[in-house]
Amino acid sequence: MEKHADKTETASIREGKQDGVDKAYEFAKQHAVGPLGDDDNKRILRKIDRNLLPLMIITYTLNFMDKNALSYSANFGLITDNHLVGNQYSWASGSIFYLAYMVSQPVVARLIVHFPIGRFVAIATMLWGAVLMTTAASRSFASLMTIRAILGCLESCINPSFIVISSQWWTREEQPLRISYWYLGNSIGQVCGGLLGYGIAHITNHTVPNWAWFFLIFGAITIFYGGFLFYYLPDSPLNARWLSEHDRALAIERVRSNRTGVENHVWKWSQFKECMLDVQCWILVATFFLDDIPAGGVGSFGSIVVKGFGYSALYSTLLLVPLGVIQAICILFGGFMTRRFKNIRTWLIAGCQIPALIGAVLLYTLPRENQRGLLGSYYVVQTHGIVGTLTMSLVSSNFAGYTKKATASSMMYVAYCVGQVAAPQLFIPSEAPAYKTAFLAAFICFALCILFSIALRFYLIWENKRRDSLNLAEGELHGSDNEFLDLTDKQQKDVFRYVL
């Protein structure tokens, strides 16, 4: 019955009922370039990597630096000038930002479907840069909270959009490494933010406080870059200005085997409901949430924690740089391992939690006099940064249907936001500088992440075997020429297999 319903829907589309069919469907029919040769495939991939990846990396770098500008400026008078007391910094730095981020996700999912995704990303980038600059004028808790809330709404557009963009341009085998590349923006932002912060801290101007320069400089760079993005970032392979008409058709053909679609501007409630009932989606959401509680602490309290180890305010800003380097090494390691070995993503998610868990235990147990040991343990915790790229690559690869993928991406970032909202609240002011509760929570989260990733692996293995059994009983495949009909992974049981 289940398979018969899927075949009926596919047949009805082929017979002419093409409302809501992926835009790539007609484009592919008109051009009919056929399977790509190895030379053409490599040539198109090089063009995509050369033109698209740098845009995504820079955007993600600015996204990270801008949302964490508050952390960089915290040790240079922002708290005093804004009259923050008690846990007000915790609320302004992370909680309100990610609450706004979370509330925006349902709206973002709809906007991604309804509007050209390239223009959507570019406009959001310019707007958040402008809002960031207004932080320099804040002199109260209320104004800081308002600015951070608006900033959270605007920055929330990037992550779900990038998951969709990754599935538009790269095959399922290529996606983990490419997602690792653009996710490196976090690491690059950590390094650049630390170095820029160190330089900005030396600016002496009696009319503008030191901390305000972080927001003025970072925001101006983002606005300028957003304007360039509006011109150069395509909405899909169908309108990439750096590809010829023939090469656009080849770029579409490259991702035919993904069976996850390219571009569709019709919101489908059936796909939304399917996503909400998908077990895989909820396991990924739980994993992402657990990983982001420790990550949220680093984002909001990084410089404060390092300063608490006994370093000066200026030097603690500089000591944040290695965090980005360690994270970059781990992300690249994960990306290259997924290219080298098939179906290794869930094992990598579980494995990277082990050193992070050890680091969290050491931060909880080491005496405060062991300055180098604490700093080293804090660095080791950053190995968990690989989880974000791998969970996002699983969403990009395993969720078919444009509305379903947009919904799953947004659900992931709702979980991300909940983790980021909770994280600053675990840094209890009365526990400073040790913050025992925060590092105990990190230890628990890493342990649970291991369990969830292993559970996901065995669930996907079971589901793939179940589909193989159904095919064996059916005796035939029905998956030809329906790659761009905007069908979900559950509507393609005969041909769609999940990556692990």
Side-chain angles (χ1 to χ4, degrees), residues 67-131:
K67 71 184 174 188
N68 287 300
L70 207 69
S71 176
Y72 298 128
S73 62
N75 289 328
F76 298 99
L78 176 138
I79 293 174
T80 304
D81 287 356
N82 281 272
H83 313 291
L84 304 183
V85 294
N87 67 346
Q88 287 183 340
Y89 174 76
S90 297
W91 274 101
S93 64
S95 296
I96 189 62
F97 179 92
Y98 289 106
L99 276 171
Y101 200 122
M102 178 177 64
V103 171
S104 301
Q105 286 308 299
V107 179
V108 169
R110 295 295 299 268
L111 293 175
I112 287 172
V113 172
H114 282 299
F115 294 103
I117 199 164
R119 300 296 175 88
F120 176 65
V121 168
I123 291 170
T125 301
M126 287 187 284
L127 289 175
W128 101 55
V131 171

Side-chain angles (χ1 to χ4, degrees), residues 4-169:
H4 177 72
D6 297 343
K7 291 178 215 170
T8 303
E9 180 172 349
T10 303
S12 69
I13 293 172
R14 287 202 184 109
E15 288 164 10
K17 302 172 185 176
Q18 296 183 7
D19 292 340
V21 172
D22 198 292
K23 285 189 174 185
Y25 180 75
E26 284 301 324
F27 193 88
K29 280 182 64 178
Q30 290 169 9
H31 291 78
V33 293
L36 274 74
D38 193 47
D39 289 342
D40 271 340
N41 186 51
K42 289 179 179 178
R43 180 177 63 84
I44 298 298
L45 178 59
R46 282 195 300 269
K47 279 191 175 184
I48 295 169
D49 286 346
R50 187 172 62 246
N51 288 278
L52 192 60
L53 269 179
L55 299 180
M56 299 176 77
I57 292 169
I58 295 169
T59 305
Y60 215 70
T61 299
L62 293 174
N63 185 270
F64 179 88
M65 287 171 58
D66 291 354
K67 71 184 174 188
N68 287 300
L70 207 69
S71 176
Y72 298 128
S73 62
N75 289 328
F76 298 99
L78 176 138
I79 293 174
T80 304
D81 287 356
N82 281 272
H83 313 291
L84 304 183
V85 294
N87 67 346
Q88 287 183 340
Y89 174 76
S90 297
W91 274 101
S93 64
S95 296
I96 189 62
F97 179 92
Y98 289 106
L99 276 171
Y101 200 122
M102 178 177 64
V103 171
S104 301
Q105 286 308 299
V107 179
V108 169
R110 295 295 299 268
L111 293 175
I112 287 172
V113 172
H114 282 299
F115 294 103
I117 199 164
R119 300 296 175 88
F120 176 65
V121 168
I123 291 170
T125 301
M126 287 187 284
L127 289 175
W128 101 55
V131 171
L132 183 70
M133 292 185 75
T134 67
T135 313
S138 175
R139 292 297 182 274
S140 69
F141 176 61
S143 61
L144 196 59
M145 289 282 281
T146 303
I147 292 166
R148 292 291 288 176
I150 298 171
L151 192 66
C153 292
L154 294 169
E155 290 207 33
S156 71
C157 303
I158 303 304
N159 284 301
S161 298
F162 275 17
I163 292 179
V164 173
I165 290 171
S166 297
S167 69
Q168 288 178 324
W169 291 91

